[in-house]
Amino acid sequence: MISARRLVAISALFLLGACASKDNLVVVIPEENGHIGAVQVESGGSTTLLTGAYAALGAGSGSSHMKPVQVASTEVGQIFGTALSAQPIPPKTYTLYFISDSDDLTPASKDAFEQVFGEIARRKAAELAVTGFTDTLGDPAYNDQLSLKRAKAVRELFVARGLKAEDIVAAGRGERDLLVPTGPQKSEPRNRRVEITVR
Amino acid sequence: MLFALIASPQDSRADDPIGQIKTLSGTVTVTRGGAPIKAAIGDHVMQADEIATGSDGAVGITFADNSMMSLGPQSKLDLDQFQFDTTTHAGVFNSSLKAGTLAVKSGQIVQQTPFAMHVQTPAALLGVRGTEFVVRADGAAN
């Protein structure tokens, strides 16, 4: 028979153990749009793939042998609340298209171009990543250069509107990340685009 | 020709900014080349910088690959290695959380190459497949 007092003492020990085992802690955070988060943890000579919301490993102070622990969302809030509150506004991306064989934006893209300024205004410190893309017509290496050239042209549009050039990174992705998948050597207007990411 | 394939014109250089401080509260310092400097919103961070927060401090950084990291109070994070090719999205991002709390959202480096982002802590080496996690390291902040 275990006395009630003894049970309390044992529970207290378990609680202490539970706390101590989280001095070192890794927790996967639940994600939107169905993505399953995953982190591979190498600790104490073994490797664990943590997957899914609130999958967690913990270890006590000074220990380098992390073991599975139960972590509730409220506990994540208590321990990581300040760090999570300090997360920046997520980057936001706009896509611009050009009227065929011209440097002129389509009417819808002119609207998107203006929206970029509203997104910049939401942030205390903003930078732009301007990334050009091509279709698959032509040589891939040439398309890398062509897409960079388009990105740099769009960067100039923003500089002309008063943004600082050093706050805008221009890059060319060539025919990688086709918006509309096609075979090689295919003209496709929707793939000839520039993406503006405000971050 | 071979050289042209390997050396992309958009390769990042060691002295390029790798990220920018977007949120900040309390005391936050960035140590570069041994000298700690009080940080402010809008400051850029570079490879090999050491970020530290005081007991009232918190900071959020967005990196060149759109990954994000934010620290809670009494935390210390070393940005050991960051390489990112804006054309191919190939890269590596290695950091060390020496103490405190860190929230991470991975970005284009991990999207292109799973596990190309690592966070070292006193207790473990974390390889990131994406995208969001938090980590606490039991260690001295100073």
Tab-separated table of all heavy atoms in Angstrom, chain A residues 13 18 24 31-32 44 48 59-60 70 72 74 107 113-114 123 128 130 142 152 157 161 169 178 186 188 196:
chain	number	residue	atom	x	y	z
A	13	LEU	N	7.824	14.569	-7.582
A	13	LEU	CA	9.076	14.175	-8.222
A	13	LEU	C	8.904	14.118	-9.739
A	13	LEU	O	9.742	14.607	-10.495
A	13	LEU	CB	9.527	12.811	-7.715
A	13	LEU	CG	10.467	12.815	-6.510
A	13	LEU	CD1	10.770	11.395	-6.077
A	13	LEU	CD2	11.758	13.553	-6.831
A	18	ALA	N	9.580	16.448	-15.084
A	18	ALA	CA	9.000	16.978	-16.323
A	18	ALA	C	9.539	18.363	-16.625
A	18	ALA	O	9.839	18.681	-17.758
A	18	ALA	CB	7.481	17.013	-16.207
A	24	ASN	N	16.425	22.155	-22.125
A	24	ASN	CA	16.708	22.145	-23.559
A	24	ASN	C	15.478	21.568	-24.245
A	24	ASN	O	14.990	20.509	-23.838
A	24	ASN	CB	17.931	21.284	-23.869
A	24	ASN	CG	19.191	21.895	-23.306
A	24	ASN	OD1	19.711	22.857	-23.839
A	24	ASN	ND2	19.683	21.333	-22.203
A	31	GLU	N	1.346	24.214	-38.635
A	31	GLU	CA	1.443	25.117	-39.787
A	31	GLU	C	0.126	25.211	-40.527
A	31	GLU	O	-0.703	24.322	-40.448
A	31	GLU	CB	2.545	24.626	-40.729
A	31	GLU	CG	3.856	24.487	-39.977
A	31	GLU	CD	5.058	24.338	-40.882
A	31	GLU	OE1	4.940	24.647	-42.080
A	31	GLU	OE2	6.107	23.935	-40.374
A	32	GLU	N	-0.015	26.322	-41.250
A	32	GLU	CA	-1.193	26.498	-42.081
A	32	GLU	C	-1.012	25.710	-43.380
A	32	GLU	O	0.021	25.124	-43.605
A	32	GLU	CB	-1.388	27.993	-42.397
A	32	GLU	CG	-1.774	28.806	-41.165
A	32	GLU	CD	-1.407	30.275	-41.321
A	32	GLU	OE1	-1.276	30.739	-42.456
A	32	GLU	OE2	-1.244	30.928	-40.273
A	44	GLY	N	22.802	13.046	-28.315
A	44	GLY	CA	23.168	11.877	-27.524
A	44	GLY	C	23.430	10.643	-28.364
A	44	GLY	O	23.119	9.524	-27.957
A	48	THR	N	16.662	11.663	-34.489
A	48	THR	CA	15.202	11.558	-34.455
A	48	THR	C	14.613	12.552	-35.440
A	48	THR	O	15.041	13.700	-35.475
A	48	THR	CB	14.671	11.908	-33.042
A	48	THR	OG1	15.390	11.144	-32.081
A	48	THR	CG2	13.188	11.623	-32.934
A	59	ALA	N	15.597	17.880	-22.876
A	59	ALA	CA	16.693	17.356	-22.049
A	59	ALA	C	16.911	18.317	-20.890
A	59	ALA	O	16.671	19.518	-21.009
A	59	ALA	CB	17.971	17.208	-22.871
A	60	GLY	N	17.372	17.783	-19.774
A	60	GLY	CA	17.629	18.613	-18.603
A	60	GLY	C	18.867	19.467	-18.789
A	60	GLY	O	19.606	19.323	-19.767
A	70	GLN	N	6.112	15.582	-23.764
A	70	GLN	CA	4.794	16.113	-24.109
A	70	GLN	C	4.814	17.625	-23.894
A	70	GLN	O	5.218	18.089	-22.835
A	70	GLN	CB	3.723	15.508	-23.188
A	70	GLN	CG	3.527	14.019	-23.363
A	70	GLN	CD	2.710	13.687	-24.603
A	70	GLN	OE1	1.854	14.476	-25.007
A	70	GLN	NE2	2.996	12.555	-25.228
A	72	ALA	N	2.259	21.042	-24.442
A	72	ALA	CA	0.966	21.608	-24.868
A	72	ALA	C	1.183	22.990	-25.465
A	72	ALA	O	2.197	23.628	-25.217
A	72	ALA	CB	0.022	21.688	-23.672
A	74	THR	N	-0.216	25.726	-24.691
A	74	THR	CA	-0.103	26.761	-23.659
A	74	THR	C	1.333	26.858	-23.139
A	74	THR	O	1.834	27.949	-22.859
A	74	THR	CB	-1.032	26.458	-22.463
A	74	THR	OG1	-0.829	25.093	-22.086
A	74	THR	CG2	-2.481	26.685	-22.813
A	107	PRO	N	-2.437	46.145	-67.195
A	107	PRO	CA	-3.204	46.968	-66.244
A	107	PRO	C	-3.288	46.329	-64.849
A	107	PRO	O	-3.117	47.025	-63.843
A	107	PRO	CB	-4.584	47.065	-66.906
A	107	PRO	CG	-4.312	46.936	-68.374
A	107	PRO	CD	-3.151	45.972	-68.471
A	113	PHE	N	1.679	46.642	-58.688
A	113	PHE	CA	2.845	47.493	-58.469
A	113	PHE	C	2.543	48.532	-57.385
A	113	PHE	O	3.352	48.776	-56.491
A	113	PHE	CB	3.231	48.175	-59.792
A	113	PHE	CG	4.465	49.023	-59.721
A	113	PHE	CD1	5.722	48.457	-59.862
A	113	PHE	CD2	4.373	50.394	-59.520
A	113	PHE	CE1	6.865	49.240	-59.802
A	113	PHE	CE2	5.510	51.181	-59.464
A	113	PHE	CZ	6.765	50.598	-59.604
A	114	GLU	N	1.345	49.126	-57.445
A	114	GLU	CA	0.971	50.128	-56.443
A	114	GLU	C	0.774	49.499	-55.066
A	114	GLU	O	1.088	50.100	-54.046
A	114	GLU	CB	-0.299	50.866	-56.876
A	114	GLU	CG	-0.131	51.711	-58.137
A	114	GLU	CD	1.007	52.726	-58.028
A	114	GLU	OE1	1.206	53.303	-56.939
A	114	GLU	OE2	1.711	52.930	-59.039
A	123	ARG	N	5.452	48.096	-42.767
A	123	ARG	CA	6.652	47.592	-42.089
A	123	ARG	C	7.540	48.732	-41.610
A	123	ARG	O	7.660	49.747	-42.266
A	123	ARG	CB	7.443	46.700	-43.066
A	123	ARG	CG	6.683	45.448	-43.425
A	123	ARG	CD	7.119	44.900	-44.772
A	123	ARG	NE	6.150	43.907	-45.243
A	123	ARG	CZ	6.269	42.599	-45.051
A	123	ARG	NH1	7.329	42.126	-44.468
A	123	ARG	NH2	5.327	41.769	-45.460
A	128	LEU	N	13.028	44.893	-50.664
A	128	LEU	CA	12.364	44.225	-51.781
A	128	LEU	C	13.315	43.215	-52.408
A	128	LEU	O	14.501	43.505	-52.586
A	128	LEU	CB	11.955	45.224	-52.873
A	128	LEU	CG	10.936	46.302	-52.564
A	128	LEU	CD1	10.536	46.996	-53.861
A	128	LEU	CD2	9.723	45.724	-51.883
A	130	VAL	N	13.371	41.509	-56.004
A	130	VAL	CA	12.743	41.549	-57.327
A	130	VAL	C	13.347	40.406	-58.137
A	130	VAL	O	14.550	40.386	-58.391
A	130	VAL	CB	12.998	42.902	-58.017
A	130	VAL	CG1	12.368	42.919	-59.397
A	130	VAL	CG2	12.464	44.045	-57.165
A	142	TYR	N	21.134	31.743	-71.153
A	142	TYR	CA	20.697	33.049	-71.666
A	142	TYR	C	19.491	33.539	-70.866
A	142	TYR	O	19.388	34.723	-70.515
A	142	TYR	CB	20.344	32.941	-73.158
A	142	TYR	CG	19.697	34.188	-73.707
A	142	TYR	CD1	20.467	35.306	-74.033
A	142	TYR	CD2	18.314	34.260	-73.855
A	142	TYR	CE1	19.874	36.467	-74.507
A	142	TYR	CE2	17.710	35.410	-74.330
A	142	TYR	CZ	18.490	36.503	-74.654
A	142	TYR	OH	17.889	37.650	-75.114
A	152	LYS	N	16.188	43.776	-63.014
A	152	LYS	CA	16.884	45.053	-62.814
A	152	LYS	C	16.066	46.212	-63.389
A	152	LYS	O	16.070	47.315	-62.826
A	152	LYS	CB	18.274	45.006	-63.464
A	152	LYS	CG	19.270	44.196	-62.631
A	152	LYS	CD	20.640	44.141	-63.283
A	152	LYS	CE	21.669	43.550	-62.326
A	152	LYS	NZ	22.958	43.289	-63.002
A	157	LEU	N	12.208	50.896	-61.802
A	157	LEU	CA	10.881	51.496	-61.633
A	157	LEU	C	10.653	51.907	-60.184
A	157	LEU	O	10.078	52.964	-59.906
A	157	LEU	CB	9.780	50.513	-62.064
A	157	LEU	CG	9.723	50.104	-63.538
A	157	LEU	CD1	8.601	49.095	-63.768
A	157	LEU	CD2	9.502	51.332	-64.422
A	161	ARG	N	10.553	55.682	-58.188
A	161	ARG	CA	9.473	56.092	-57.278
A	161	ARG	C	9.984	56.398	-55.873
A	161	ARG	O	9.211	56.498	-54.923
A	161	ARG	CB	8.406	54.995	-57.223
A	161	ARG	CG	7.561	54.914	-58.483
A	161	ARG	CD	6.481	55.999	-58.523
A	161	ARG	NE	5.533	55.845	-57.428
A	161	ARG	CZ	4.405	55.140	-57.533
A	161	ARG	NH1	4.069	54.592	-58.673
A	161	ARG	NH2	3.597	55.032	-56.504
A	169	VAL	N	16.989	43.960	-53.889
A	169	VAL	CA	17.850	42.936	-54.471
A	169	VAL	C	17.200	42.436	-55.753
A	169	VAL	O	16.046	42.025	-55.739
A	169	VAL	CB	18.027	41.747	-53.498
A	169	VAL	CG1	18.878	40.665	-54.134
A	169	VAL	CG2	18.645	42.219	-52.191
A	178	LEU	N	8.649	27.472	-63.271
A	178	LEU	CA	7.652	27.892	-64.265
A	178	LEU	C	6.284	27.987	-63.603
A	178	LEU	O	5.872	27.075	-62.897
A	178	LEU	CB	7.599	26.879	-65.418
A	178	LEU	CG	8.871	26.721	-66.263
A	178	LEU	CD1	8.700	25.570	-67.247
A	178	LEU	CD2	9.202	28.013	-67.003
A	186	LYS	N	9.175	26.589	-75.359
A	186	LYS	CA	7.762	26.981	-75.483
A	186	LYS	C	7.592	28.432	-75.039
A	186	LYS	O	7.960	28.802	-73.928
A	186	LYS	CB	6.875	26.090	-74.590
A	186	LYS	CG	6.672	24.672	-75.131
A	186	LYS	CD	5.586	24.656	-76.197
A	186	LYS	CE	5.245	23.242	-76.635
A	186	LYS	NZ	6.370	22.503	-77.280
A	188	GLU	N	5.475	31.174	-73.522
A	188	GLU	CA	4.327	31.165	-72.601
A	188	GLU	C	4.351	32.481	-71.811
A	188	GLU	O	5.156	32.654	-70.887
A	188	GLU	CB	4.400	29.959	-71.661
A	188	GLU	CG	3.395	29.971	-70.523
A	188	GLU	CD	1.958	30.203	-70.978
A	188	GLU	OE1	1.404	29.352	-71.680
A	188	GLU	OE2	1.381	31.276	-70.620
A	196	ILE	N	7.731	40.374	-57.048
A	196	ILE	CA	8.226	41.334	-56.068
A	196	ILE	C	7.916	40.788	-54.687
A	196	ILE	O	6.742	40.583	-54.362
A	196	ILE	CB	7.511	42.701	-56.182
A	196	ILE	CG1	7.313	43.123	-57.641
A	196	ILE	CG2	8.201	43.755	-55.338
A	196	ILE	CD1	8.567	43.399	-58.373
